[in-house]
Amino acid sequence: MASIFNIIFYLLVFLSVYVQVFFFVTFLENRKKIVTRNGEIKLANYPAVTIAVPCWNEEKTVEKTVHSILNLNYPKDKVKIFLIDDGSTDNTWNVINKFAGYPNIKVFHKKNGGKYTALNLGLQNMETDFFGGLDADSFVDREALIRIMSYFEKDERIMAVAPSIAVNNPKI
């Protein structure tokens, strides 16, 4: 009986390694076809976008995150920012309240329920056609939003875009 389980186990291990090697080889063969768009991008239309930033105990990073969103190369009147304090126990609420006076920023405070409940609060209050979520300890490249929105302009069938992510200060 044990030998049958061993055979099944080794077969599954082989198949999983085979699939990983297949994907790796496919990546190596096609890596030059991966497009990195560094040039300037202009959109025919700049739709309004809501960016929700759920925060839980992010007093040390959220201010830099908000400034990175405010510095986006995108019309300022088209970017709505929701800063959502998800029941933080540190000074996060006071930090995000500094931004309450900005015309394109709304600040929310809610009982802790998890990141998904904070994002759902943002979805319930949005008034734009497009929505994005950004962790409070993440920073966006100045051209990120315009690059993301260019995909929607190219093809109306596109429903979602996930950007590439680079770790800022990796801790090893």
Side-chain angles (χ1 to χ4, degrees):
M1 191 64 147
S3 65
I4 291 175
F5 289 121
N6 285 342
I7 292 171
I8 292 172
F9 174 75
Y10 289 124
L11 182 65
L12 290 175
V13 169
F14 170 77
L15 289 174
S16 65
V17 171
Y18 180 82
V19 168
Q20 291 175 5
V21 170
F22 172 78
F23 283 133
F24 183 64
V25 170
T26 302
F27 167 76
L28 290 176
E29 288 177 351
N30 294 304
R31 70 181 182 272
K32 293 190 192 279
K33 296 178 188 174
I34 297 173
V35 178
T36 303
R37 300 184 310 161
N38 292 325
E40 187 175 331
I41 297 172
K42 296 278 187 196
L43 300 177
N45 178 29
Y46 290 85
V49 179
T50 298
I51 301 173
V53 183
C55 311
W56 186 76
N57 292 347
E58 299 287 354
E59 68 179 331
K60 294 179 180 162
T61 58
V62 69
E63 189 169 1
K64 189 173 178 184
T65 299
V66 175
H67 284 296
S68 77
I69 298 169
L70 290 171
N71 290 328
L72 284 169
N73 179 20
Y74 204 82
K76 303 304 177 217
D77 62 325
K78 300 287 187 170
V79 179
K80 311 300 180 206
I81 304 169
F82 289 175
L83 303 177
I84 306 164
D85 180 22
D86 189 29
S88 296
T89 57
D90 64 357
N91 199 34
T92 300
W93 175 244
N94 294 329
V95 173
I96 66 174
N97 247 343
K98 294 178 192 175
F99 296 100
Y102 285 69
N104 62 334
I105 296 179
K106 286 186 183 178
V107 179
F108 299 89
H109 181 73
K110 61 177 280 313
K111 183 180 148 200
N112 182 263
K115 182 178 179 178
Y116 75 95
T117 62
L119 289 171
N120 282 339
L121 179 66
L123 284 167
Q124 291 167 358
N125 288 281
M126 70 179 260
E127 299 172 351
T128 62
D129 290 334
F130 293 92
F131 181 84
L134 181 66
D135 287 347
D137 59 355
S138 301
F139 317 110
V140 293
D141 182 77
R142 189 167 153 61
E143 301 296 320
L145 186 56
I146 200 165
R147 287 185 183 134
I148 289 170
M149 296 309 293
S150 70
Y151 287 100
F152 294 106
E153 188 174 72
K154 287 180 190 176
D155 188 347
E156 64 184 30
R157 296 174 299 168
I158 290 181
M159 296 291 155
V161 175
S164 60
I165 298 170
V167 177
N168 187 28
N169 289 323
K171 294 181 176 94
I172 300 173

